[in-house]
Amino acid sequence: MSELYDQIEELMIELEDEDGDPVGGQTIAIVPGAFKPPHLGHLDMVKQYTKRADKVIVLISSPIKANRCIHGEPCTARQSEQIWKMLLKDAGLGEPKVKLEVSPIPSPITATFEEIGEDGPLEPGINLILGASSKEDRKGRPDWIRWEYAWKNRNSKIKQGVNLLNPEETAVAPADRPSGAPYSATDAREMLEQGMDADEFFGEGRTAAVRSILGLDQLEEMTGAGAVAGAVGSIDMKKRKPKTESNKHPPYN
């Protein structure tokens, strides 16, 4: 009888171990992007994934091209990281639940494949979510379609033992601004460039902090000073070189 109890106890222990550490026991979500700049729409995506995953990695890429600029100056990866830290702190999020990583790779997609490939840091047995939303572009293609290649080639492009979840099923619903309009980094840049209040993108009273991180006020002061100096210089040149009969009209060659 005691042997039977011992066998039952051993079986129960085995079942507990299986329940406590199933295949892919930990779920990690990777949310990649250049984030120029990050805003509350991006933050909402991270919030949604914190409810589904044990850990969320925000992967910030480092584009080389100086596109998506404000006053001609790009938002750098480090500036994006600073804004992310502010947004996460305001939301009460941070490590170990949410981790920020800056990648030197320009493309968010390529940076992600470096993270999830054979040489990446992920451990076998992990459930993997590739961050995306169900938002459609102008051609009607949902955002998650960017991961279609990864899903179809998951046996060769994802580290062995890492379980990629279907991107279509893990895509989150996009958030809208308080005004009802969709979040757009382009709109955020335009508002910052025009000196408008952009709190609906960054949180109440946070426009000034974002402008400071991006160095916009200093840039505008320098640009304004340069424009004034240029105008003054132009006037001085005219004063130093008054018109005479010889320079009113250039001589014919």
Side-chain angles (χ1 to χ4, degrees):
M1 192 71 173
S2 61
E3 290 182 5
L4 178 60
Y5 282 127
D6 289 342
Q7 291 175 3
I8 293 174
E9 186 176 2
E10 287 178 5
L11 179 60
M12 291 299 294
I13 291 173
E14 289 179 6
L15 290 173
E16 286 176 2
D17 288 342
E18 290 178 1
D19 289 340
D21 187 24
V23 176
Q26 187 182 34
T27 300
I28 292 180
I30 297 179
V31 180
F35 304 112
K36 293 182 171 286
H39 50 64
L40 294 179
H42 297 131
L43 178 66
D44 183 80
M45 177 182 286
V46 169
K47 284 181 177 179
Q48 291 189 62
Y49 281 128
T50 60
K51 298 176 182 178
R52 304 185 187 185
D54 299 291
K55 183 177 183 180
V56 180
I57 298 173
V58 178
L59 188 60
I60 306 169
S61 60
S62 303
I64 297 174
K65 294 182 179 180
N67 58 353
R68 291 179 283 181
C69 302
I70 302 175
H71 292 309
E73 293 294 325
C75 176
T76 68
R78 291 300 175 186
Q79 288 171 331
S80 294
E81 182 185 29
Q82 285 183 272
I83 297 173
W84 261 118
K85 287 180 179 179
M86 181 194 74
L87 295 175
L88 291 172
K89 183 178 180 181
D90 289 348
L93 295 172
E95 293 195 36
K97 189 70 174 182
V98 181
K99 181 181 179 183
L100 299 175
E101 289 186 11
V102 175
S103 170
I105 298 174
S107 165
I109 303 296
T110 304
T112 302
F113 275 107
E114 287 289 318
E115 192 85 1
I116 67 179
E118 285 297 336
D119 297 328
L122 297 184
E123 296 292 336
I126 284 175
N127 279 327
L128 175 63
I129 294 174
L130 294 180
S133 75
S134 56
K135 179 181 178 181
E136 295 183 351
D137 62 16
R138 295 177 181 177
K139 295 183 179 180
R141 296 173 301 189
D143 181 52
W144 59 262
I145 206 73
R146 70 174 73 179
W147 303 122
E148 186 176 35
Y149 175 80
W151 175 247
K152 290 181 177 179
N153 297 276
R154 57 191 180 279
N155 293 329
S156 60
K157 296 300 180 181
I158 311 298
K159 177 179 281 190
Q160 188 174 3
V162 172
N163 178 37
L164 175 62
L165 303 182
N166 189 335
E168 182 178 5
E169 296 176 358
T170 58
V172 299
D176 288 331
R177 290 146 59 180
S179 62
Y183 279 102
S184 163
T186 300
D187 291 345
R189 289 194 300 272
E190 289 180 356
M191 293 179 75
L192 290 170
E193 189 167 65
Q194 295 171 16
M196 299 172 63
D197 185 328
D199 281 3
E200 65 177 328
F201 284 94
F202 307 109
E204 187 176 354
R206 283 308 197 179
T207 299
V210 171
R211 291 183 62 83
S212 177
I213 291 172
L214 297 176
L216 292 180
D217 295 328
Q218 182 179 1
L219 179 64
E220 289 172 1
E221 287 176 5
M222 292 174 63
T223 304
V228 172
V232 172
S234 177
I235 295 172
D236 289 344
M237 285 296 290
K238 290 179 180 179
K239 287 182 178 180
R240 287 197 298 269
K241 191 175 181 181
K243 288 185 177 181
T244 63
E245 290 298 323
S246 62
N247 65 21
K248 279 182 181 179
H249 303 285
Y252 292 102
N253 294 326

